[in-house]
Amino acid sequence: MENNVMTEVERNRQNRKWTNRELAGRLIWASARPLFRYSPKICWGWRRLLLRLFGAKIGRHVNIHPTAVIFIPWNLSIGDWSSIGFDALVYNLGFIQIGSRVTISQRAHLCAGSHDYRDPTMQLLKLPIVIENDVWICADAFIGPNITIGMGTVVGARAALFKDTPAGILVGGNPAKELGKRETNIKS
């Protein structure tokens, strides 16, 4: 059995997960990341520019903390007036779309990549995340892959979200469950 398991691991490692262009882009981004990471906190425009140079679609007045980690800039779209807090992890192997006026709080983890546990070779999955307008992802929350978070939803601190949410609710816990409605005047 162990030989069979090793064969599956070996097959996984031999599978091509990235094109040459993607690998080159990731290498160049990795060498440019210190320009992002060590920029002064107030240099919001510099970080927006750097991400745009690497293919991210970044709206107006977006604030991204320098300690936030963006894995693949060209797999990221952020609407106007949104923010990403310190130590947030944007693991965007799949495309992540963040709407306008969205707050991603400190140490939140957006995880747009996983593995197919049903496949013995554990194939890499690059699945999207869509966060609609006026959403708040609170501190330390985890957002799993292939999820849409409805407009105006609040994902509570340390929540772990593994399925889509409708608009205008508050979710919390692990796994996240609806805790109530968000009473606001949010309009698209």
Side-chain angles (χ1 to χ4, degrees):
M1 174 134 172
E2 188 169 325
N3 285 342
N4 194 24
V5 171
M6 291 305 290
T7 303
E8 302 301 346
V9 170
E10 194 173 13
R11 279 191 12 206
N12 176 288
R13 290 183 182 170
Q14 290 172 354
N15 285 337
R16 189 148 172 89
K17 297 166 183 71
W18 307 99
T19 66
N20 286 340
R21 182 180 171 134
E22 289 170 323
L23 289 171
R26 290 182 70 188
L27 179 63
I28 296 166
W29 172 242
S31 59
R33 263 173 64 185
L35 298 172
F36 184 97
R37 169 64 178 92
Y38 297 109
S39 60
K41 182 179 177 187
I42 62 170
C43 293
W44 309 112
W46 165 251
R47 287 186 293 280
R48 287 191 298 263
L49 173 66
L50 196 55
L51 288 169
R52 286 178 185 134
L53 289 173
F54 279 87
K57 291 175 179 42
I58 307 293
R60 295 174 299 122
H61 309 290
V62 170
N63 287 351
I64 301 174
H65 197 279
T67 62
V69 176
I70 314 282
F71 268 75
I72 303 176
W74 54 92
N75 277 351
L76 181 63
S77 173
I78 304 176
D80 298 340
W81 295 100
S82 291
S83 64
I84 299 177
F86 72 86
D87 292 343
L89 179 56
V90 180
Y91 189 61
N92 54 337
L93 302 185
F95 194 80
I96 294 182
Q97 178 182 330
I98 298 171
S100 295
R101 300 170 307 279
V102 170
T103 299
I104 310 292
S105 292
Q106 66 273 17
R107 295 190 182 97
H109 182 167
L110 309 181
C111 184
S114 188
H115 294 274
D116 185 352
Y117 66 89
R118 297 163 298 202
D119 182 339
T121 64
M122 299 285 286
Q123 290 298 309
L124 180 63
L125 302 174
K126 303 171 191 176
L127 302 168
I129 294 174
V130 175
I131 301 171
E132 295 181 354
N133 296 342
D134 301 299
V135 168
W136 178 18
I137 308 294
C138 297
D140 288 315
F142 175 85
I143 309 301
N146 206 27
I147 288 179
T148 297
I149 301 174
M151 184 174 74
T153 290
V154 175
V155 179
R158 298 227 166 154
L161 186 62
F162 301 103
K163 62 182 183 175
D164 294 350
T165 68
I169 64 169
L170 169 65
V171 298
N174 183 0
K177 294 180 175 69
E178 184 174 342
L179 301 176
K181 303 286 184 216
R182 182 177 184 196
E183 302 299 325
T184 66
N185 294 325
I186 295 172
K187 295 179 179 52
S188 41

